[in-house]
Each structure stands twice: as structure tokens, then as C-alpha cells.
Amino acid sequence: MSEKAIKERMSGNEAVAYAIRQVEPDVMPAFPITPSTEIPQMVSTYIANGQMDTDFIPVESEHSAMSAAIGSEAAGARTMTATSSAGLALMWEELLLAASNRLPIVLTLVNRTLSGPININCDHSDGMGARDTGWIQIYAEDNQEAYDNYIQAFPIAEDSRVHLPVMVCMDGFITSHAVMNISLLEDAAVKKFAGEYHPEEFMLDAEHPVSVGPYAISHYEMEAKRAQEAAMERAKEVILEVGKRYGEMSGRSYGLFEKYRTEDAEFIMLIMGSAAGTAKQAVDELRESGVKAGVLKLRVFRPFPEKEIAEAVKNCRALAIMDRCESYNGNSGPLGSEVTAGLYRNRVFIHAVNYIYGLGGRDFTTEDVKQVFEELKETADGRLAEQQHKYIGLRE
């Protein structure tokens, strides 16, 4: 039975800060960077007002923020932080250490383009740049999902089958600063759902001392990497279990992705983040004109649900794979590479076209979506040659 909903109007940053107050982690080290600055600002205000008992650690950089997070988590404290763009890039070394040391830190990533040229608006180049650091990555479409995803992150990260850090991602400004109506949960329900953190091993356990981050000789390195990968694979079932349990509590269930009008769809757009809402609106309008269009909104990027995606799109005629990030490989964006590889490995042979959109905050409209679906139809009908790695809204 779902808990009583509290109706509120909040930005994405406000919603995540509110969820942080409800979960009440032990430690939050953070350094300000646009557009995530409001999160540590709001949390520090909650702490100053006596509304939560969390140690806030102001540090001199994002590298230091993740270093402090690693130290506190290794000592046995539930820890989180927040950052964006170049802040995540500065954490690069520490991201790998957090994951390889199997520390269930939660990081809110407010997605912003990476330089250069310098730009403070949204794309996914920061999160995608860290896609191979060993972190679970969950993307939100809107403020509600940003709130819900954050609450689910701790039970996922801290599960004994996983013990990996989690990035809770939302689009900068579009989600982080725009205000919308959302449903909040009561404090007690959130605390019960997140539970208390009782690590099996931690550095300050004098009775059972452990070493964190030791030097691994060649005899052990591969086994450690394989164990980390196995944990990432197991994370998939944990994410589904936590999403189902959250649905029973809140009335909002979550999976690896959301299927929107895909059951009979001839043409499907696979997309992540806030632009999924734009795609859904366009699909509704296309359906009214008789076009069988659908949207597959990818929520969980790591672990990558390859088989599940292949199964979800296998009956359509053509698939648009939408990347809000350039991979600079001369062929496609990150999703373009991984989705097509997954389709091939699972023997799903459909037209699959990769598009690049929204870099540096470039507008992505319902008309853009409709144009993509028109091109998919022309490709499937043989009237348009399949052209990969296409940019949407580019000024030629």
C-alpha cells in the first residue's frame, strides 16, 4: 500500500536536497559548481537550521570532495556528494578508486556539458565521460524522478550483492532549476525505505581491521576487476527489486527503462533524460495522425540493459538512438555504439539510426522529434539511405 503523498512545487535541485534531508546521510563533502551548487547550499542550510544531523565538509575542490567521501565511506559512514561537468572530471581518479574499493557512495550529478568551449548548459558529456569508471548510473526525466531515484540509490548501492557507488543524474537547468508539481513522501517512510547503514567491514572497526585501497600485484588485479564487474551485473536485479519495492510504497514503480506506447510501435526513439518528455509529447501527436511511434526512455545506463533493450525493440521497423553527447570516435555517440552492438549480439536486425542532439543546451523540440520519426519511416520504406551520426538542429 502506497504512503500518503505530500504535494509540493519544487525544482530538481530542491527535490534532491529535500530527499537528502529525509535520508540524512552521515557525511556530505562538497564543492560548488553550476548547476549543482544549490544542492550543497540547501543541505548546509538544513544542517544549520537543525533539520538534519549530517556532517557537511566544505573542501577546496571536487577532487577533494570525492577524496573525503572515499575516506568517510571507508570509515563506515553513509556518504554522498553532488557535482557537475568539470567537477566530475576533476574527480576522475577518485571515481575509479571509489568503485574499485567497492564503496557505496551516492553522487548527484547535475548534467552539464564539458569544455570546451566552456558552456554551463545541459548535455550528457560529463556522465558519459565517466561511463567506464565502475559507477552505477541512473538518469531522471524530471524532478519527480530525480527525487525518487535519489531515495532508491542507497538501498541499491549498499546491497550486499552490489557494494558499488551510484550516480543519480538529472539534466542541468532543464530539470535542476525548473519548478514542477511533485509528490513527496513522509520523512518516516523515506527513512524506513533507505534503512540504516551497517557496513559489514569498515576501517574503524577495531575488532576486525581491514585495508582499503591496497596495492594489488598481478596475481590479484584481474580477480578484483572481475569481482567488480560481477557486482555491476548483479546490480541489475537489485535495481529492479528496489524499484518494485519503491512502487509499493509510493505508487511509482521503476525499472531499467520506461516503454511509452511501444507495444505496437513501428518506429521507436530511444532517449535519456529530460528530452524524453519532449519525445513523448511528439509521439502522442503523431499517434493522432496515424503514425505508430513510441519512446523507450532509458533510465539505467550502468549496468547497461543490453538484452532487455533488444527485446523491447525487436518488433519495430526502425529505431532512433538519441545521444546528448559526442563520443569523438568518428562513428556515433556512446548510446549509438552500445545499443547497436547490443542489437547485433542479440540478433535483432532492424534499421537503427544514431542522432546527436542538444549539445551545450541546444533546443530539442517536438518538431525535431517528428522529423526524426519521418526519417525513420523513409529509411524503413527504402526511400532514404541509412545515414548514421546525424546532428539535429545544427547550423550548417
Side-chain angles (χ1 to χ4, degrees):
M1 184 175 180
S2 62
E3 293 285 337
K4 180 182 177 182
I6 302 168
K7 302 297 183 182
E8 188 56 86
R9 294 171 66 249
M10 286 185 168
S11 69
N13 281 347
E14 288 177 310
V16 167
Y18 194 88
I20 294 169
R21 183 194 62 76
Q22 292 181 305
V23 173
E24 201 172 22
D26 299 310
V27 180
M28 181 181 181
F31 188 84
I33 183 170
T34 302
S36 66
T37 300
E38 287 182 329
I39 295 175
Q41 175 188 335
M42 293 171 184
V43 171
S44 62
T45 300
Y46 282 134
I47 295 169
N49 291 341
Q51 294 173 273
M52 60 187 295
D53 184 19
T54 296
D55 285 328
F56 184 85
I57 305 174
V59 291
E60 65 270 22
S61 73
E62 292 86 357
H63 186 281
S64 300
M66 187 51 63
S67 296
I70 288 170
S72 62
E73 189 75 48
R78 177 181 272 174
T79 306
M80 68 83 54
T81 188
T83 195
S84 299
S85 186
L88 188 73
L90 188 55
M91 290 180 179
W92 173 256
E93 174 192 13
E94 304 303 312
L95 294 176
L96 292 153
L97 292 175
S100 62
N101 287 328
R102 308 294 297 279
L103 300 173
I105 299 164
V106 173
L107 182 153
T108 299
L109 177 65
V110 183
N111 294 111
R112 166 189 153 187
T113 189
L114 276 167
S115 300
I118 190 168
N119 180 291
I120 64 168
N121 296 304
C122 173
D123 63 34
H124 296 158
S125 52
D126 49 4
M128 288 294 163
R131 64 187 179 273
D132 295 332
T133 56
W135 284 61
I136 293 167
Q137 290 191 0
I138 303 176
Y139 283 75
E141 176 186 341
D142 55 26
N143 308 15
Q144 183 70 67
E145 286 192 18
Y147 173 79
D148 294 340
N149 287 347
Y150 182 85
I151 295 170
Q152 294 173 72
F154 287 99
I156 293 168
E158 294 167 1
D159 191 284
S160 60
R161 292 165 289 177
V162 181
H163 267 275
L164 289 172
V166 176
M167 284 185 199
V168 179
C169 307
M170 64 173 163
D171 286 355
F173 294 108
I174 302 167
T175 303
S176 66
H177 284 63
V179 174
M180 65 174 282
N181 294 329
I182 66 173
S183 294
L184 304 171
L185 297 168
E186 294 182 340
D187 292 359
V190 172
K191 279 188 167 53
K192 181 179 178 181
F193 185 85
E196 294 184 1
Y197 182 42
H198 298 292
E200 299 169 15
E201 297 177 326
F202 55 97
M203 290 180 68
L204 296 187
D205 184 355
E207 300 299 319
H208 305 91
V210 295
S211 177
V212 177
Y215 175 74
I217 62 174
S218 301
H219 294 299
Y220 298 103
E221 182 76 8
M222 282 187 68
E223 286 72 20
K225 297 292 187 186
R226 181 65 186 94
Q228 187 179 335
E229 166 60 21
M232 182 64 77
E233 293 168 14
R234 291 192 298 269
K236 194 183 295 184
E237 64 179 306
V238 175
I239 290 167
L240 292 173
E241 289 172 10
V242 171
K244 180 180 179 182
R245 187 159 60 89
Y246 190 79
E248 292 168 353
M249 177 184 67
S250 67
R252 298 182 296 277
S253 297
Y254 288 93
L256 304 173
F257 47 70
E258 176 193 344
K259 293 188 285 187
Y260 186 80
R261 308 191 76 163
T262 60
E263 291 76 9
D264 64 340
E266 294 183 9
F267 313 102
I268 294 176
M269 175 176 287
L270 186 150
I271 197 164
M272 292 198 315
S274 60
T278 304
K280 291 176 184 177
Q281 176 63 35
V283 161
D284 288 343
E285 295 173 11
L286 287 169
R287 285 279 178 166
E288 291 177 2
S289 62
V291 179
K292 291 185 176 181
V295 173
L296 191 71
K297 183 188 75 181
L298 186 58
R299 171 178 178 252
V300 177
F301 180 62
R302 287 288 185 269
F304 185 67
E306 174 189 297
K307 293 180 181 178
E308 292 84 354
I309 290 173
E311 180 66 24
V313 304
K314 68 180 183 181
N315 294 321
C316 75
R317 296 178 62 198
L319 174 70
I321 306 166
M322 311 300 293
D323 268 296
R324 197 163 198 163
C325 172
E326 178 57 86
S327 197
Y328 303 111
N329 58 22
N331 298 294
S332 67
L335 279 175
S337 297
E338 298 206 14
V339 173
T340 52
L343 295 178
Y344 179 80
R345 279 194 290 263
N346 288 277
R347 298 297 183 262
V348 175
F349 301 113
I350 59 175
H351 292 285
V353 183
N354 183 222
Y355 289 85
I356 308 293
Y357 77 99
L359 302 188
R362 182 66 57 90
D363 285 344
F364 181 65
T365 68
T366 54
E367 292 305 312
D368 292 327
V369 175
K370 292 176 183 178
Q371 180 60 39
V372 168
F373 276 110
E374 177 60 30
E375 291 181 6
L376 286 185
K377 188 176 187 304
E378 291 180 359
T379 299
D381 291 341
R383 293 182 286 116
L384 181 67
E386 191 172 292
Q387 181 185 346
Q388 299 293 339
H389 208 190
K390 301 178 68 173
Y391 274 64
I392 295 175
L394 183 70
R395 293 184 295 108
E396 298 290 353

